[in-house]
Amino acid sequence: MRVLVFSDIHSNLTALEAVLAAAGNVDAYWCLGDLVGYGPDPNECIAVVRDLPNLVCVRGNHDAATLGEVDQNTFNHEASLAITWTKRILNAESQEFLLSLPERQKIDDITLVHGSPRNPVWDYIMDYMTAERMFQFFDTRICLVGHTHVPAIWKENDVDAPRGMVQDYQKTKILTKTILNPGSVGQPRDHDPRASFAIFDPQESQWELRRVSYNINEVQSRIKKSGLPWRHALRLAEGW
């Protein structure tokens, strides 16, 4: 079984299309939230994700903020501007889809959240000490998270050699209780501008991170045309 695991699209249709093409034929699609925010294509991205077969999707903090469920004052100024812009152009079908998304999903021995198993919408897991505290909040063997925009593997009781941020893209056999992050489709923040995603085989418990290039200039042009903060366009070119 091949599952495309992806997160943090952030209204970047060009990156999303590149990921879907690079993934090829898969049996299911698992999305870890933040379909909107920052980028110029919220309705288009939601429409594409909504129509994927065998989709499992959870709600992210930008999705929640766009629905008015999270206070925009908790975001930085430019992120808040993008949320306001997204609220203005989001169509009824897109709103309905975001409203339908739960904060947490469970598939057999796998938990899916956006932020963390403790606080599915908002928590960040950025380091091993934080990750270690999170293992008590899920009872499955694997927890899939997004939110940080950085691919990572966190293994329980792995103090001597925690993996943390992942910079190699080999297939990894998941043998212990583990938190996995596929990175970001639409706004990577690990200084690699290529869209990040993972192919997961739950039956073989095999995780493979992947990257794919996309036309960043094209997205930057749409950001400029939309009037969104230019910083959101600049960061795409260097992945920060």
Side-chain angles (χ1 to χ4, degrees), residues 202-221:
Q203 295 167 328
E204 297 295 327
S205 205
Q206 185 169 271
W207 177 262
E208 181 184 3
L209 281 161
R210 294 189 181 181
R211 304 298 282 251
V212 62
S213 299
Y214 68 95
N215 191 334
I216 290 174
N217 290 337
E218 181 182 286
V219 183
Q220 290 176 320
S221 177

Side-chain angles (χ1 to χ4, degrees), residues 1-239:
M1 183 177 182
R2 297 178 80 249
V3 179
L4 170 58
V5 181
F6 60 114
S7 188
D8 297 278
I9 301 164
H10 284 299
S11 300
N12 186 336
L13 180 64
T14 306
L16 174 60
E17 291 176 336
V19 165
L20 294 175
N25 293 326
V26 298
D27 300 296
Y29 297 85
W30 296 354
C31 178
L32 305 177
D34 272 3
L35 286 76
V36 301
Y38 298 122
D41 317 306
N43 290 309
E44 295 83 354
C45 286
I46 291 172
V48 168
V49 172
R50 184 183 60 216
D51 291 340
L52 292 173
N54 299 318
L55 173 70
V56 177
C57 189
V58 296
R59 186 180 303 184
N61 61 308
H62 282 259
D63 305 326
T66 299
L67 296 171
E69 296 178 353
V70 172
D71 186 353
Q72 283 184 229
N73 292 325
T74 59
F75 292 79
N76 67 53
H77 177 64
E78 289 170 332
S80 181
L81 288 175
I83 291 167
T84 298
W85 180 89
T86 303
K87 285 180 177 179
R88 189 170 67 249
I89 71 163
L90 209 65
N91 62 39
E93 293 80 5
S94 296
Q95 292 179 28
E96 183 179 359
F97 180 74
L98 293 183
L99 283 167
S100 74
L101 299 179
E103 293 183 357
R104 182 191 304 258
Q105 294 266 33
K106 185 185 288 188
I107 305 171
D108 298 325
D109 66 346
I110 302 161
T111 298
L112 286 72
V113 294
H114 177 67
S116 85
R118 181 181 64 182
N119 186 332
V121 170
W122 196 254
D123 265 353
Y124 286 89
I125 303 178
M126 298 290 294
D127 54 63
Y128 182 75
M129 289 184 63
T130 302
E132 184 65 17
R133 292 195 297 270
M134 296 300 168
F135 286 102
Q136 64 182 301
F137 294 102
F138 65 99
D139 57 7
T140 56
R141 188 169 57 87
I142 293 171
C143 183
L144 303 179
V145 304
H147 197 35
T148 68
H149 298 209
V150 176
I153 297 175
W154 308 103
K155 299 179 181 178
E156 188 176 33
N157 301 320
D158 197 23
V159 179
D160 291 335
R163 287 293 301 277
M165 179 178 168
V166 176
Q167 294 178 315
D168 63 274
Y169 296 91
Q170 303 301 314
K171 293 180 181 179
T172 302
K173 192 83 169 180
I174 308 301
L175 300 174
T176 60
K177 194 169 186 179
T178 305
I179 298 171
L180 298 165
N181 189 325
S184 172
V185 170
Q187 196 189 88
R189 294 180 184 170
D190 57 350
H191 302 286
D192 182 339
R194 296 176 298 167
S196 183
F197 63 101
I199 300 296
F200 181 49
D201 184 335
Q203 295 167 328
E204 297 295 327
S205 205
Q206 185 169 271
W207 177 262
E208 181 184 3
L209 281 161
R210 294 189 181 181
R211 304 298 282 251
V212 62
S213 299
Y214 68 95
N215 191 334
I216 290 174
N217 290 337
E218 181 182 286
V219 183
Q220 290 176 320
S221 177
R222 292 202 302 278
I223 289 174
K224 182 176 182 179
K225 185 177 180 179
S226 71
L228 285 162
W230 183 237
R231 177 184 170 90
H232 295 168
L234 288 176
R235 68 189 310 169
L236 296 179
E238 297 183 10

